[in-house]
Amino acid sequence: KVVVVGAGYIAVELAGILQALGSDTSLVLRKEKALRNFDEILSEALDVEMQRQGISIFRNTMGVSRIKYNKSNGLKKIILNNGKVIKDVDVVIMAAGRSPLVDSLGLQDVGIQQKDGGYIDVNEYSETSVDRVYAVGDVCGNVELTPMAIAAGRRLADRLFSANPDHAHAKVSYENVPTVVFSHPPIGTIGLTENEAIEKYGDEKVKVYSSKFSNMWYGPFQIEASEKPKTCMKLVCAGKSEQVVGLHVIGIAADELLQGFGVAMKMGATKADFDSTIAIHPTAAEELVTLFPWGLSSQETGAKVSPLNGNEAPEPDQ
């Protein structure tokens, strides 16, 4: 019997793994849902799926008050801040967040400024408040992902050490960063949530396309259709051109399909660009280029050379 405490990536990933391996798994949330800062289509679909798999979810607990250990049998009793109790627990996994491990570095001794939470304050070029002292990665608290840290380090190295003049102002972008949660099923997301897009651009300038279906992989399964895990997809578009500013997927292969669509979003793809792309059938990814209504968006492209209306493919510069 396992209790996982937390509502982020690690918490839902471990809860899914342990439940799949046969553990009696509970997930303790401080508020109502896990991944509450993700688009609602993702957090809601995952919530439904975790419960379908048998994970017990304790909501609005405001966290763990204390843990009592029974020396005679090695089991724990978890007392939550809302008064609820989880008994006879073998293992408790605390996945409720982390802080940068910088206290031992003596940052204050040399005048390096920090932000709330202890994160190191850096500018767009990874420069700290002290000349020739740099910081990249999770310790800066921008986008706490391993590939993000690698990219920031590469751009910094290019700018500091490259002889290529094109690298003189190299820096990493923290916008439109694709990320995956290896939950059960996996989640892939990039860009703005629907609510974030409305807040940024205004309700009247945002258009949303979404779909919900059972992946064909479950076709042969002799179970009721309602019991088959659902794949959910959403495109969040903004402006007259309907530029895709958010893309959100939960379901089989969400992790794999996101990388390619991430390239398209970084290049400013529009709904019309998506519609102009021929679907690969049968796949889940084809749903994103056939989302209803199809072909009715403003015929504007984010591409250097328009792919719309049967135009010829671009050729490389000579």
Side-chain angles (χ1 to χ4, degrees), residues 100-141:
L101 189 62
V102 296
D103 290 346
S104 62
L105 297 181
L107 301 178
Q108 300 90 342
D109 297 340
V110 293
I112 294 177
Q113 294 180 359
Q114 293 172 261
K115 301 181 290 187
D116 291 342
Y119 294 103
I120 297 176
D121 192 14
V122 294
N123 62 16
E124 59 185 334
Y125 293 104
S126 301
E127 296 170 331
T128 70
S129 55
V130 174
D131 188 36
R132 290 182 292 178
V133 178
Y134 309 93
V136 299
D138 292 4
V139 76
C140 302

Side-chain angles (χ1 to χ4, degrees), residues 4-11 14 27-30 36 63-64 93-99:
V4 181
V5 181
Y9 287 67
I10 303 302
L14 290 179
L27 181 64
V28 173
L29 307 177
R30 190 165 57 91
R36 60 184 179 272
V64 174
I93 299 176
M94 302 299 292
R98 56 195 173 143
S99 299

Side-chain angles (χ1 to χ4, degrees), residues 169-314:
H169 301 286
K171 60 181 179 179
V172 75
S173 170
Y174 290 98
E175 295 182 322
N176 286 335
V177 176
T179 184
V180 165
V181 183
F182 291 101
S183 49
H184 288 56
I187 286 171
T189 180
I190 177 174
L192 303 177
T193 67
E194 181 178 347
N195 290 336
E196 288 171 341
I198 290 172
E199 183 177 348
K200 183 173 183 178
Y201 300 110
D203 191 20
E204 70 285 353
K205 294 183 179 179
V206 173
K207 190 167 184 178
V208 173
Y209 301 83
S210 62
S211 180
K212 181 179 181 181
F213 58 95
S214 294
N215 192 292
M216 290 181 67
W217 190 79
Y218 295 107
F221 285 44
Q222 298 303 306
I223 56 177
E224 294 294 326
S226 60
E227 285 297 303
K228 294 180 179 180
K230 299 298 184 289
T231 292
C232 300
M233 297 181 173
K234 178 186 283 189
L235 284 186
V236 182
C237 303
K240 179 177 176 292
S241 66
E242 292 192 33
Q243 181 176 333
V244 181
V245 296
L247 187 153
H248 313 285
V249 183
I250 179 170
I252 293 177
D255 45 347
E256 293 291 348
L257 71 83
L258 184 66
Q259 191 74 77
F261 284 109
V263 174
M265 276 192 59
K266 289 289 283 186
M267 296 175 70
T270 63
K271 177 62 163 62
D273 288 325
F274 273 57
D275 290 350
S276 74
T277 303
I278 303 302
I280 303 171
H281 181 76
T283 65
E286 68 178 304
E287 194 76 10
L288 286 169
V289 298
T290 57
L291 282 170
F292 179 85
W294 179 89
L296 300 181
S297 301
S298 175
Q299 293 298 291
E300 297 188 39
T301 179
K304 181 179 179 181
V305 177
S306 174
L308 306 182
N309 299 316
N311 287 342
E312 295 182 3

